[in-house]
Amino acid sequence: MLKQECEEKTVAYLGPRGTYSEEVAYQIHTGNQVLFTAYSSIDAAIMSVVNGVSDECVVPVENSLEGSVTITLDTLALVENLFIIRESTHAIRHNLLVNPQNGPVEVIVSHSQALAQCRSYLQEHYPSAQVKAVQSTAEAACCVASGMPNHAAIGSLRAAKLYELDVAAAGIQDNSYNSTRFLVLGRKPAVLQKEPHKTSIVCQIDGKKPGSLCEILQEFARRNVNLTRIESRPARTQMGAYIFFLDLDGSLADYEVFAAVKAVQEKSIWFKSFGSYPVVDTSQPNGERL
Ligand SMILES: O=C(O)C(=O)C[C@]1(C(=O)O)C=C[C@@H](O)C=C1
């Protein structure tokens, strides 16, 4: 897909129309002149930014029930010169979407994250249904709208509207606090403002040296820098080699954060910074809900 000749900012997201990612992208850019482009996978949306086709992308990175969206982390580890320019957390309410013409529900289709976030509902109400993963909740809604026999989808109310599906059950996620953290990624670091900020890095340390992870963590502890998350992923080089994603409170403009990150970089055998970025949480009681 080629970048269209226009002056608007171009923003990529996981499509087709009707995904949670699209809703979040719209909410983040309310009132801005933006050209939104749907991609068929999360990594394709990210790569469109890396390749200069899109200015930014909005991608899910973590869910409160299911944990990491691993394709997002693995793609972030792989690419160069990509920065996190904003984090936005949103409440996620799932629904069972049906097409009355498809007949009794025997197959339930959705994004793997959405299926996992509704595990209890599925076990209780459809214990013998076949569960099928596709690239997004909106792709699942499309399948059901196209008349696939005995198929129902898990997706948003907006997808139900867009694809003219009936809502057979609403709020079917495993708990009412279900929320997903989304990242806005771009090729330039965020402009630091007054809002609360986080900083994210990924590093690989010498796994054979006892205490090497502890040494890294001490760089933060001794400077009173709060780690909000640590996640290991395979380094994808050999069995037993890992990389660590670290999120910290504060920005690189804070001296203690800067000094801790620099010390970690010096102790790492491989290191990347995704910069500092403002953090917004709309999943809280006064926030907007999807
Ligand atoms: O399929 C979608 O609608 C998405 O936007 C993806 C996604 C995810 O990958 O986590 C986003 C939010 C929900 O947690 C479920 C699915």
Side-chain angles (χ1 to χ4, degrees), residues 165-198:
L165 297 172
D166 291 349
V167 178
I172 62 169
Q173 67 286 341
D174 284 357
N175 77 41
S176 58
Y177 300 103
N178 186 36
S179 56
T180 298
R181 211 157 54 84
F182 290 82
L183 300 179
V184 181
L185 306 173
R187 289 183 302 278
K188 285 191 211 127
V191 178
L192 302 184
Q193 286 155 0
K194 283 221 172 94
E195 301 154 279
H197 280 74
K198 275 199 206 163

Side-chain angles (χ1 to χ4, degrees), residues 14 19-21 42 60 63 69 92 94 111 113-114 117 136-137 180 182:
L14 170 68
T19 59
Y20 295 99
S21 302
I42 291 173
N63 173 264
V69 179
I92 301 287
H94 290 302
H111 187 276
Q113 272 274 353
Q117 291 163 31
S136 72
T137 56
T180 298
F182 290 82

Side-chain angles (χ1 to χ4, degrees), residues 17 20 48-49 62 86 92 139 152 217 239 286:
R17 297 209 58 205
Y20 295 99
S48 76
V49 181
E62 185 185 12
R86 188 183 167 104
I92 301 287
E139 185 186 325
L217 299 181
M239 179 60 94
N286 296 329

Side-chain angles (χ1 to χ4, degrees), residues 8-252:
E8 294 157 323
K9 185 190 270 186
T10 51
V11 175
Y13 66 90
L14 170 68
R17 297 209 58 205
T19 59
Y20 295 99
S21 302
E22 183 192 53
E23 270 184 84
V24 171
Y26 283 3
Q27 279 185 23
I28 289 174
H29 290 287
T30 306
N32 299 343
Q33 280 271 55
V34 171
L35 180 71
F36 293 99
T37 312
Y39 282 81
S40 60
S41 66
I42 291 173
D43 46 329
I46 298 176
M47 290 315 291
S48 76
V49 181
V50 175
N51 297 331
V53 176
S54 308
D55 296 313
E56 292 176 8
C57 66
V58 177
V59 290
V61 67
E62 185 185 12
N63 173 264
S64 57
L65 291 169
E66 271 307 299
S68 291
V69 179
T70 52
I71 184 68
T72 298
L73 294 180
D74 293 346
T75 310
L76 274 173
L78 208 71
V79 299
E80 296 301 329
N81 302 324
L82 201 64
F83 296 91
I84 301 173
I85 50 184
R86 188 183 167 104
E87 174 193 288
S88 196
T89 302
H90 294 257
I92 301 287
R93 308 269 173 268
H94 290 302
N95 309 279
L96 187 69
L97 311 180
V98 297
N99 177 350
Q101 286 161 12
N102 294 1
V105 175
E106 286 168 15
V107 184
I108 297 179
V109 60
S110 198
H111 187 276
S112 57
Q113 272 274 353
L115 291 166
Q117 291 163 31
C118 300
R119 199 177 293 138
S120 310
Y121 174 85
L122 295 178
Q123 267 162 14
E124 192 181 333
H125 297 272
Y126 294 93
S128 51
Q130 186 196 332
V131 168
K132 212 161 94 180
V134 289
Q135 290 275 23
S136 72
T137 56
E139 185 186 325
C142 280
C143 292
V144 173
S146 74
M148 282 177 86
N150 310 109
H151 279 56
I154 291 176
S156 69
L157 291 178
R158 188 156 172 278
K161 238 190 208 165
L162 281 171
Y163 299 104
E164 298 177 356
L165 297 172
D166 291 349
V167 178
I172 62 169
Q173 67 286 341
D174 284 357
N175 77 41
S176 58
Y177 300 103
N178 186 36
S179 56
T180 298
R181 211 157 54 84
F182 290 82
L183 300 179
V184 181
L185 306 173
R187 289 183 302 278
K188 285 191 211 127
V191 178
L192 302 184
Q193 286 155 0
K194 283 221 172 94
E195 301 154 279
H197 280 74
K198 275 199 206 163
T199 299
S200 293
I201 58 172
V202 59
C203 62
Q204 187 172 7
I205 51 179
D206 183 357
K208 295 205 172 73
K209 188 175 147 220
S212 51
L213 179 59
C214 182
E215 273 182 38
I216 294 284
L217 299 181
Q218 272 168 350
E219 296 296 347
F220 299 108
R222 92 159 70 106
R223 294 179 176 89
N224 210 21
V225 173
N226 184 39
L227 267 187
T228 58
R229 182 162 180 249
I230 175 164
E231 175 92 24
S232 71
R233 290 289 302 152
R236 298 181 146 229
T237 48
Q238 64 191 84
M239 179 60 94
Y242 301 98
I243 56 176
F244 293 93
F245 286 85
L246 303 165
D247 292 345
L248 353 154
D249 275 335
S251 91
L252 289 164

